[in-house]
Amino acid sequence: MSRYFYLRPDKATWATYRGEFNAVPKWGLPGLKDCPGCGASWSSWGTHYPAVDLSELPERHEFEEARQEPFHEFVRLRELVRPLAPPNSKLPPGADFGPLVGPASGRFAPFSGLESCWIVVRRDTFDSLQAAGVRGLLGCKTELKFRQKTPPELIELQIEPRGLLHRDCLPPDLAPPCTTCGRQGFTLPDDPILDEASLPTDTDLFRVGNFATVIIGTDRFKDAVEQGGWEGIQFRELPVR
Ligand SMILES: [Zn+2]
């Protein structure tokens, strides 16, 4: 049976490498304004599908400006994206698509971006992860603009929402998700537990489906990172129930 680790940025590595980028995904769904079901105005963070390419969509410009929209307009835009997204994808308000765009500079660690809930890897790291047999890796090009002469090739991994936090680690009085917009408002528990029955068995890297900012790697992923001697990630094992 796999073991599961919550991946956090290793802050000590930042000081060593000093690679920086100020990037945002190229396209995104708007946030939701005044849900007709629950009344909330909200936007998710962490749901990013870098492999979903909206460049051929005639309406792509409607996905370029961060904003909030009423439910009917949010749904219209979401349904334009759905055929381009992986089957059965969660597409909450604020979900992002396409490559990271923006300026970047400096020397990059093997892994970066985790503080923004992305995983950006150097090309050599990506190739080694694949060679190590890490499953479910989908590498996507970035559109980061470097001023230096020999910029590194940086690849973002598409990490899809799979699996759930176990009910036992959530507040006992937590209301079920809104049937209109899907929102279920809670803060991340101090001691998260993963729901074993919900966990994917075909990938070594995923986001938690009901808390997309939490990125999980299996022991196979952790072993590959440690055997490569790569820095940039701290691993915290989470219990499974
Ligand atoms: Zn709602």
Side-chain angles (χ1 to χ4, degrees), residues 20-64:
E20 281 184 29
F21 55 78
N22 185 10
V24 289
K26 196 164 191 170
W27 302 288
L29 285 173
L32 176 60
K33 189 177 177 184
D34 303 331
C35 172
C38 65
S41 295
W42 68 287
S43 189
S44 67
W45 181 252
T47 310
H48 180 206
Y49 295 92
V52 173
D53 180 4
L54 306 192
S55 59
E56 300 292 316
L57 205 62
E59 300 89 346
R60 63 188 176 277
H61 299 301
E62 300 185 54
F63 297 88
E64 288 171 355

Side-chain angles (χ1 to χ4, degrees), residues 32 35-40 42 178-183:
L32 176 60
C35 172
C38 65
W42 68 287
C178 170
T179 53
T180 303
C181 72
R183 180 174 184 273

Side-chain angles (χ1 to χ4, degrees), residues 90-129:
K90 283 179 186 260
L91 299 174
D96 291 316
F97 313 100
L100 292 174
V101 179
S105 63
R107 201 162 70 87
F108 273 77
F111 292 90
S112 50
L114 262 175
E115 66 284 0
S116 302
C117 308
W118 306 319
I119 294 186
V120 175
V121 294
R122 297 191 318 227
R123 159 63 73 181
D124 57 319
T125 316
F126 181 73
D127 291 344
S128 302
L129 285 172

Side-chain angles (χ1 to χ4, degrees), residues 69-86:
E69 294 284 359
F71 187 66
H72 63 92
E73 175 65 358
F74 163 72
V75 169
R76 181 182 72 85
L77 293 166
R78 183 185 65 190
E79 296 314 305
L80 289 172
V81 174
R82 195 177 298 284
L84 304 169

